[in-house]
Coordinates of all heavy atoms in Angstrom, one line a residue:
Y233 N 6.5 -12.5 -4.8 CA 7.5 -12.3 -3.8 C 8.2 -13.5 -3.3 O 8.9 -13.5 -2.3 CB 7.1 -11.3 -2.7 CG 6.7 -10.0 -3.1 CD1 5.4 -9.5 -3.3 CD2 7.8 -9.0 -3.5 CE1 5.2 -8.2 -3.7 CE2 7.5 -7.8 -3.8 CZ 6.2 -7.3 -4.0 OH 5.8 -6.1 -4.3
G234 N 7.8 -14.7 -3.7 CA 8.3 -15.9 -3.3 C 7.5 -16.7 -2.3 O 6.2 -16.5 -2.3
P235 N 8.0 -17.5 -1.4 CA 7.2 -18.4 -0.6 C 6.6 -17.8 0.7 O 6.2 -18.5 1.6 CB 8.2 -19.5 -0.3 CG 9.6 -18.8 -0.2 CD 9.5 -17.7 -1.3
R236 N 6.6 -16.5 0.9 CA 6.1 -15.9 2.1 C 4.8 -15.3 1.9 O 4.5 -14.9 0.7 CB 7.1 -14.8 2.6 CG 8.4 -15.5 3.0 CD 9.6 -14.5 3.0 NE 9.4 -13.4 4.0 CZ 10.2 -12.4 4.1 NH1 11.3 -12.3 3.3 NH2 10.0 -11.4 4.9
L237 N 4.0 -15.1 3.0 CA 2.8 -14.3 2.8 C 3.2 -12.9 2.5 O 4.3 -12.4 2.9 CB 2.1 -14.3 4.2 CG 1.2 -15.4 4.6 CD1 0.6 -15.1 6.0 CD2 0.2 -15.7 3.6
R238 N 2.5 -12.2 1.6 CA 2.6 -10.8 1.3 C 1.6 -10.0 2.0 O 0.3 -10.2 1.8 CB 2.6 -10.6 -0.2 CG 3.0 -9.2 -0.6 CD 2.3 -8.4 -1.5 NE 1.0 -8.3 -2.0 CZ -0.1 -8.0 -1.4 NH1 -0.1 -7.7 -0.1 NH2 -1.2 -7.8 -2.0
V239 N 2.0 -9.1 2.8 CA 1.0 -8.1 3.5 C 1.3 -6.7 2.9 O 2.2 -6.1 3.0 CB 1.4 -8.1 5.0 CG1 0.5 -7.2 5.7 CG2 1.4 -9.5 5.6
G240 N 0.2 -6.2 2.3 CA 0.2 -5.0 1.6 C -0.5 -4.0 2.4 O -1.7 -4.0 2.8
I241 N 0.2 -3.1 2.8 CA -0.3 -1.9 3.6 C -0.5 -0.7 2.6 O 0.5 -0.2 2.2 CB 0.6 -1.4 4.8 CG1 0.8 -2.7 5.8 CG2 0.2 -0.3 5.5 CD1 1.8 -2.4 6.9
R242 N -1.7 -0.4 2.4 CA -2.0 0.5 1.3 C -2.5 1.9 2.0 O -3.3 1.9 2.8 CB -3.1 0.1 0.3 CG -2.6 -1.3 -0.3 CD -3.6 -1.8 -1.3 NE -3.3 -3.1 -1.8 CZ -2.4 -3.3 -2.8 NH1 -1.8 -2.3 -3.5 NH2 -2.2 -4.4 -3.3
Y243 N -2.1 3.0 1.3 CA -2.4 4.4 1.7 C -3.2 5.0 0.5 O -2.8 4.9 -0.6 CB -1.1 5.1 2.1 CG -0.4 4.6 3.2 CD1 0.5 3.6 3.1 CD2 -0.7 5.1 4.5 CE1 1.2 3.1 4.0 CE2 0.0 4.5 5.5 CZ 1.0 3.6 5.5 OH 1.6 2.9 6.4
L244 N -4.2 5.9 0.9 CA -4.9 6.5 0.0 C -4.6 8.0 -0.2 O -4.4 8.8 0.8 CB -6.5 6.4 0.3 CG -7.4 7.1 -0.6 CD1 -7.4 6.4 -2.0 CD2 -8.8 7.1 0.0
F245 N -4.2 8.3 -1.5 CA -3.8 9.7 -1.8 C -4.7 10.2 -2.9 O -5.2 9.5 -3.7 CB -2.3 9.7 -2.3 CG -1.3 9.3 -1.2 CD1 -0.9 8.1 -1.1 CD2 -0.9 10.2 -0.2 CE1 0.0 7.6 -0.2 CE2 0.0 9.8 0.7 CZ 0.5 8.4 0.7
R246 N -4.7 11.6 -2.9 CA -5.4 12.3 -4.0 C -4.4 13.1 -4.8 O -3.4 13.5 -4.2 CB -6.5 13.3 -3.4 CG -7.6 12.6 -2.7 CD -8.4 11.6 -3.5 NE -9.0 12.1 -4.8 CZ -10.3 12.2 -4.9 NH1 -11.2 11.8 -4.0 NH2 -10.7 12.7 -6.0
S247 N -4.6 13.2 -6.0 CA -3.8 14.1 -6.8 C -4.5 14.5 -8.1 O -5.6 14.0 -8.4 CB -2.5 13.2 -7.3 OG -1.7 14.0 -8.1
H248 N -4.1 15.5 -8.8 CA -4.5 15.9 -10.1 C -3.9 15.1 -11.1 O -2.7 14.7 -10.9 CB -4.2 17.4 -10.3 CG -4.9 18.4 -9.4 ND1 -6.2 18.6 -9.4 CD2 -4.5 19.1 -8.3 CE1 -6.6 19.4 -8.5 NE2 -5.4 19.7 -7.8
S249 N -4.6 14.8 -12.2 CA -4.0 13.9 -13.2 C -2.9 14.5 -13.9 O -2.0 13.8 -14.3 CB -5.1 13.6 -14.3 OG -5.7 14.8 -14.8
R250 N -2.8 15.8 -13.8 CA -1.6 16.5 -14.4 C -0.3 16.4 -13.6 O 0.8 16.9 -14.1 CB -2.0 17.9 -14.8 CG -3.0 18.1 -15.8 CD -3.4 19.7 -15.9 NE -3.6 20.4 -14.7 CZ -4.7 20.4 -14.1 NH1 -5.7 19.7 -14.4 NH2 -4.7 21.2 -13.0
A251 N -0.4 15.8 -12.4 CA 0.8 15.7 -11.5 C 1.8 14.6 -11.9 O 2.8 14.5 -11.3 CB 0.2 15.4 -10.0
V252 N 1.3 13.8 -12.8 CA 2.2 12.8 -13.4 C 2.9 13.3 -14.7 O 2.3 14.0 -15.4 CB 1.3 11.5 -13.8 CG1 2.2 10.5 -14.5 CG2 0.6 11.0 -12.5
F253 N 4.2 12.9 -14.9 CA 4.9 13.4 -16.0 C 4.1 12.9 -17.2 O 3.8 11.7 -17.4 CB 6.3 12.7 -16.1 CG 7.3 13.3 -15.2 CD1 8.3 12.5 -14.8 CD2 7.3 14.6 -14.8 CE1 9.3 13.0 -13.9 CE2 8.2 15.1 -13.9 CZ 9.2 14.3 -13.5
P254 N 3.8 13.9 -18.2 CA 2.9 13.5 -19.3 C 3.7 12.4 -20.1 O 3.0 11.5 -20.6 CB 2.9 14.8 -20.2 CG 3.1 15.9 -19.1 CD 4.1 15.3 -18.1
A255 N 4.9 12.3 -20.2 CA 5.6 11.2 -20.9 C 5.3 9.8 -20.4 O 5.3 8.9 -21.1 CB 7.1 11.4 -20.9
A256 N 5.1 9.7 -19.1 CA 4.7 8.4 -18.4 C 3.5 7.9 -18.9 O 3.3 6.7 -19.2 CB 4.7 8.6 -16.9
I257 N 2.5 8.9 -19.2 CA 1.1 8.5 -19.7 C 1.3 8.2 -21.2 O 0.8 7.1 -21.6 CB 0.1 9.5 -19.3 CG1 0.0 9.8 -17.9 CG2 -1.3 9.2 -20.0 CD1 -0.5 8.7 -17.0
E258 N 1.9 9.0 -21.8 CA 2.1 8.9 -23.3 C 2.8 7.6 -23.7 O 2.4 7.0 -24.7 CB 2.8 10.1 -23.9 CG 1.9 11.5 -23.8 CD 2.8 12.6 -23.9 OE1 4.0 12.5 -24.4 OE2 2.3 13.8 -23.9

Side-chain angles (χ1 to χ4, degrees):
Y233 296 105
R236 298 161 60 188
L237 280 178
R238 190 224 20 76
V239 179
I241 300 178
R242 300 184 188 273
Y243 296 85
L244 181 63
F245 296 97
R246 297 301 302 244
S247 182
H248 295 288
S249 58
R250 295 177 313 278
V252 175
F253 286 151
I257 302 296
E258 292 164 6

